[in-house]
Amino acid sequence: MTLPTAESSGTYRLGDREVHRLGYGAMQLAGPHVMGPPADRDAAVAVLRRAVELGVDHVDTSDYYGPTVVNELIREALHPYPEGLVIVTKVGARRDADGGWPEALDAADLRRAVQENIDHLGVEALDVVNLRMPGFAEPVQRSLAEPFEALAAMQQEGLVRHLGVSNVTPQMFAEARAIAPVACVQNHYNLVHRADDPLIDALAREGIPYTPFFPLGGFTPLQSAALETVARRLETTPMQVALSWLLARSPNLLLIPGTSSVAHLEENVQAGARVLGPAELDELDRIGGTGGTGGPVVDL
């Protein structure tokens, strides 16, 4: 049987490139707690190469995964990079000896992070850099002007091609956009965590992609059981159903499911080819406790 490829998920513009909407998040290639090397380096390299074979042309990473481990794996597996591959990285934190993620948002920290990402990926400039603001899963309202201005200066120097923001409120996005063009937003969003519905719709009107993280995070046991029921009826996995729902939610959603397994990667890519009917979409919306997007309209 021929496996579907990422092309089945459709495309959307990210920066100055059209990418397949189903990409790959590389965080899980590091060791436990995103620290140190993977247990099987060859397997990690195989996952990256298989992702590209399956049409994935949007890889999400950061030099603080490992730290440095994941970017070095990407370079080993894929360099020289295929034409059209977009590597999105993020800055704004560092790793400490205890495996924590303290913020690193001053200009010197950000310049160091950008240069280290460049060096470890083996590129002359970074395709897209997301400014990751503090907060585990929910944004904390605060000014991002100083760090975003520092990144905008590096963009003017040619070190970064496009800028994005991560873990931000609509107000923080607007603040960033007033400083420099914002190519993408990466926030916590999934079938049951729908707080960003108005922001997603507003970004779609502007042609700006939105990348959700934690696609299966924060489900209650009842919600998980209901999702599993739908998955069994469709003879697939809960993860595939959740990813297919995200692809159906809005055309500007770009997905970056992560895995360290080739078999799991292939399952995730198949989600791009699955079309959910109106009945399934309505049932899945009810799992999330909503029959529609609801909420206030965000005006960007």
Side-chain angles (χ1 to χ4, degrees):
M1 183 182 70
T2 302
L3 287 173
T5 70
E7 294 177 15
S8 303
S9 64
T11 63
Y12 203 78
R13 195 158 191 83
L14 174 59
D16 57 357
R17 310 259 191 94
E18 287 283 331
V19 298
H20 298 134
R21 293 178 61 206
L22 205 152
Y24 174 72
M27 183 177 72
Q28 292 186 30
L29 295 182
H33 310 295
V34 203
M35 290 290 285
D40 188 335
R41 189 177 186 90
D42 290 342
V45 169
V47 168
L48 288 162
R49 290 177 176 164
R50 184 59 173 150
V52 171
E53 287 175 359
L54 290 172
V56 169
D57 56 7
H58 166 212
V59 174
D60 182 88
T61 184
S62 176
D63 210 52
Y64 54 62
Y65 294 162
T68 79
V69 169
V70 171
N71 279 353
E72 290 168 350
L73 282 167
I74 290 171
R75 183 174 184 174
E76 177 182 342
L78 302 178
H79 195 278
Y81 299 112
E83 185 177 355
L85 179 68
V86 177
I87 299 178
V88 179
T89 188
K90 62 184 70 65
V91 296
R94 59 181 178 83
R95 305 305 299 278
D96 61 25
D98 298 322
W101 307 76
E103 66 180 66
L105 292 170
D106 66 43
D109 285 332
L110 294 170
R111 181 168 291 275
R112 185 181 308 110
V114 165
Q115 192 59 57
E116 288 175 347
N117 275 279
I118 287 173
D119 292 343
H120 293 131
L121 288 169
V123 295
E124 294 182 356
L126 300 173
D127 294 327
V128 183
V129 172
N130 281 322
L131 175 64
R132 176 61 155 85
M133 294 301 290
F136 174 64
E138 307 304 326
V140 177
Q141 178 62 44
R142 58 185 281 184
S143 175
L144 50 64
E146 287 190 15
F148 203 72
E149 286 169 354
L151 288 178
M154 284 180 261
Q155 183 183 35
Q156 292 299 312
E157 294 173 35
L159 297 175
V160 178
R161 295 189 179 94
H162 301 282
L163 300 176
V165 288
S166 177
N167 208 37
V168 297
T169 65
Q171 293 80 7
M172 294 163 76
F173 167 82
E175 183 181 35
R177 198 182 191 194
I179 295 166
V182 177
C184 54
V185 174
Q186 187 177 111
N187 271 7
H188 180 196
Y189 181 82
N190 59 37
L191 175 60
V192 302
H193 189 276
R194 305 285 299 273
D196 266 359
D197 272 328
L199 177 60
I200 288 170
D201 293 336
L203 293 172
R205 291 191 294 270
E206 300 280 339
I208 298 171
Y210 178 105
T211 303
F213 57 77
F214 296 148
L216 279 179
F219 284 38
T220 68
L222 283 177
Q223 290 166 335
S224 295
L227 178 61
E228 288 170 4
T229 298
V230 174
R232 281 196 300 271
R233 189 168 69 247
L234 297 176
E235 297 182 342
T236 186
T237 66
M239 184 65 168
Q240 276 199 27
V241 173
L243 294 175
S244 297
W245 180 86
L246 286 167
L247 288 170
R249 166 62 184 87
S250 182
N252 67 321
L253 263 63
L254 300 179
L255 309 189
I256 50 168
T259 179
S260 57
S261 157
V262 168
H264 190 198
L265 168 74
E266 292 174 347
E267 286 183 2
N268 290 342
V269 171
Q270 289 178 49
R274 180 173 295 278
V275 177
L276 300 174
E280 286 92 2
L281 291 172
D282 183 63
E283 185 171 356
L284 291 167
D285 275 341
R286 289 201 302 274
I287 290 174
T290 175
T293 58
V297 174
V298 170
D299 184 5
L300 301 179

